[in-house]
Amino acid sequence: MATPKRKVSHARTAQRKAQWLRALSAPQTMACPHCGEVTLVHHACPSCGYYRSRQVVKIKTEETA
């Protein structure tokens, strides 16, 4: 098996990692069409429990609690 002749410097390692980190972006968000709350894409709304125009999660409110 091949062995490196020299140690990879910290600067070279940091440059390689910086290129990878530069490609990352913030998570995608959108407004919930049912209540208008900002939610993550492809996730049920945490405030109303709707996903793709139907309720998939029952949310407890102050009246029912």
Side-chain angles (χ1 to χ4, degrees), residues 8-54:
V8 176
S9 70
H10 175 74
R12 188 170 292 276
T13 304
Q15 286 174 356
R16 185 175 59 248
K17 289 181 179 180
Q19 288 178 351
W20 181 77
L21 288 172
R22 192 177 309 131
L24 295 177
S25 62
Q28 297 286 323
T29 59
M30 66 173 220
C32 174
H34 189 260
C35 68
E37 189 75 23
V38 176
T39 64
L40 290 172
V41 178
H42 301 107
H43 284 75
C45 179
S47 63
C48 67
Y50 274 73
Y51 178 70
R52 296 186 67 179
S53 301
R54 62 176 190 256

